Amino acid sequence: MKFVTSILNRRAVMALAAASMLTGVMHTAPVSAADVTIPIIVKDTTSFYWQIVLAGARKAGKDLGVNVPELGAQAETDVNGQISILENAVAGNPAAVVIAPTEAKALGKPIDEAAAKVKVIGIDSGADSKAFTSFLTTDNVQGGRVAADGLAAAIGAANGGKVEGKVALITALPGAGSLEQRAQGFKEQLKAKYPGLELIADKYADGQATTGLNIATDLITANPDLKGIFASNLIMAQGVGQAIAENKLAGKVGLIGFDSDEKLIKFLNDGVISGLVVQDPYRMGYDGIKTALAASKGEKVEADVDTGANLVTKDNMKDPKIDALLNPKL
C-alpha cells in the first residue's frame, strides 16, 4: 500500500512539475499584437472632433492588430474625470497610453506619474510635463496665425480692401494648452501684420456653445462697428456663428472658427462663417496609436510631430484634400 502511495505521489509531483514548466513556457512566450492594449483618452467622447480622433485610432488598432479602448469624459470641462480615467487605464498595465490632456497644469503631475509606469503619447494639447515619449499635434501657434490671416482677408473683402477695425477673440476655456497657443499665435500675427486691426476683447467662456453665443451677442451689442471675431474651437464657433446668424451680420462681421462639423460647414456655405482652421484629427488618432505601439516595442519615435492646419473657405472647400478633412470616414 505504501509502495502504491509512493508511486502515486511521485506521479503527482511529476504532473505538478510538468504543469509548472508549461506555465513558465506560456508566461515567457512572446506576446502577439492581438494581446497588446493601447487605450486612447480624449477630452470629450461626445464631440464630433474627438469622434474623428477615435475613428483614426480605431482604424489603427484594426490595421495593427492592437486592442484600443476608447476612453474619455463627457465634457472637456471634466478635468478630474480625465485624471481618473488616466489612472485607471494605467492600472490595467497597457503597452502604452495615448492622451489628449484637457488642462495643461492639472494633467502635468498625473502624466508624470503615468509615464513612470508606461509610455505616454500626447496628442492635440500639451500639458505641464516633459514625460511624453512623443507628441503629435497641430502647431497651434501657427494655427492662430492662420486664423488671423483668414480674418484679415475676410475683413478686407467686406470693406473694400481695408483691413482695419475692431476684432475680438473668444476662447472656450482657460488653461487648455492648445487654445492658449492659438490665442498666442492670433495675437502675435495681428500685432506683426495687421496694425489696423484692434483687439478690443479677449474673452474666456466655460466650454458651452450657449456661453459663446451670449459673449458674442454682448460684444456685437456693445460694439456695433465690430469687424471680426476669432472663435478658437469648434464649440465656440458654433455659439458665435449662431450669434452672427441671429443678428443678420453674415458678411458684415467676419468669423473664423477652428475645426469643423456639419453645423459649421453649413455656416460656411451660408456665409455666416468666413473660414475654418481645420486640423487633421483622424491622422492624430491613427498616428498616435501607431507611434505608441512602436514606442512600446522600444523603437525610436519622433519627439514632436506636426499634423498640420489648413484654412478652409467657401472657395476651397470642394478641393479633394480639404474635402477629405471636412468629411472623414468615421
Side-chain angles (χ1 to χ4, degrees):
M1 189 72 177
K2 288 182 179 179
F3 176 71
V4 173
T5 302
S6 178
I7 291 174
L8 290 173
N9 286 341
R10 284 200 300 272
R11 286 178 178 173
V13 169
M14 290 174 67
L16 286 170
S20 178
M21 289 174 65
L22 181 59
T23 301
V25 170
M26 291 173 67
H27 180 71
T28 57
V31 177
S32 68
D35 297 319
V36 174
T37 294
I38 300 175
I40 180 167
I41 305 170
V42 297
K43 296 182 182 182
D44 171 6
T45 55
T46 67
S47 163
F48 182 69
Y49 175 84
W50 295 110
Q51 288 172 15
I52 299 173
V53 173
L54 293 176
R58 191 180 311 128
K59 183 62 164 61
K62 184 177 179 181
D63 290 350
L64 301 170
V66 174
N67 179 36
V68 181
E70 300 173 14
L71 309 175
Q74 295 296 299
E76 292 195 23
T77 51
D78 189 3
V79 178
N80 290 331
Q82 192 186 54
I83 292 171
S84 295
I85 290 168
L86 173 61
E87 291 171 348
N88 290 336
V90 172
N93 296 315
V97 172
V98 178
I99 184 170
T102 53
E103 202 276 324
K105 187 174 181 180
L107 268 292
K109 185 176 179 181
I111 287 171
D112 286 342
E113 292 172 350
K117 302 173 184 177
V118 67
K119 301 287 187 183
V120 178
I121 307 301
I123 60 170
D124 186 76
S125 296
D128 292 347
S129 172
K130 296 181 180 179
F132 292 108
T133 299
S134 181
F135 198 81
L136 298 87
T137 185
T138 304
D139 181 341
N140 282 292
V141 174
Q142 177 59 20
R145 295 189 188 110
V146 170
D149 290 340
L151 189 59
I155 291 170
N159 294 277
K162 294 181 180 179
V163 183
E164 58 187 31
K166 298 176 179 179
V167 298
L169 166 64
I170 302 178
T171 301
L173 292 164
S178 59
L179 302 185
E180 297 295 346
Q181 290 164 0
R182 291 170 198 172
Q184 175 191 338
F186 179 74
K187 288 184 278 191
E188 287 178 352
Q189 195 77 337
L190 289 186
K191 186 176 180 180
K193 289 184 65 176
Y194 307 107
L197 296 180
E198 178 189 2
L199 184 65
I200 55 125
D202 183 0
K203 301 286 187 178
Y204 284 102
D206 59 1
Q208 304 300 314
T210 51
T211 307
L213 165 62
N214 292 335
I215 291 173
T217 300
D218 290 344
L219 285 171
I220 290 166
T221 302
N223 302 276
D225 55 346
L226 186 70
K227 296 297 184 183
I229 301 173
F230 172 37
S232 68
N233 83 336
L234 186 147
I235 302 300
M236 285 304 101
Q238 289 178 343
V240 178
Q242 191 65 36
I244 298 289
E246 289 179 1
N247 286 277
K248 296 180 171 53
L249 292 172
K252 298 176 182 177
V253 174
L255 171 59
I256 301 296
F258 218 99
D259 299 324
S260 69
D261 65 359
E262 288 184 7
K263 184 170 186 177
L264 297 191
I265 291 171
K266 185 177 187 307
F267 277 155
L268 187 63
N269 266 316
D270 294 346
V272 172
I273 285 179
S274 311
L276 296 168
V277 181
V278 177
Q279 308 177 77
D280 194 343
Y282 190 92
R283 179 187 170 191
M284 243 178 250
Y286 191 101
D287 286 1
I289 297 299
K290 184 178 179 181
T291 302
L293 179 61
S296 73
K297 294 177 178 178
E299 297 175 12
K300 185 177 180 180
V301 297
E302 293 291 330
D304 294 286
V305 179
D306 178 10
T307 53
N310 299 269
L311 180 67
V312 179
T313 65
K314 194 172 181 178
D315 292 335
N316 71 0
M317 63 188 298
K318 298 299 182 183
D319 292 352
K321 177 185 175 184
I322 299 299
D323 183 67
L325 295 173
L326 294 177
N327 301 290
K329 297 177 181 178
L330 295 183

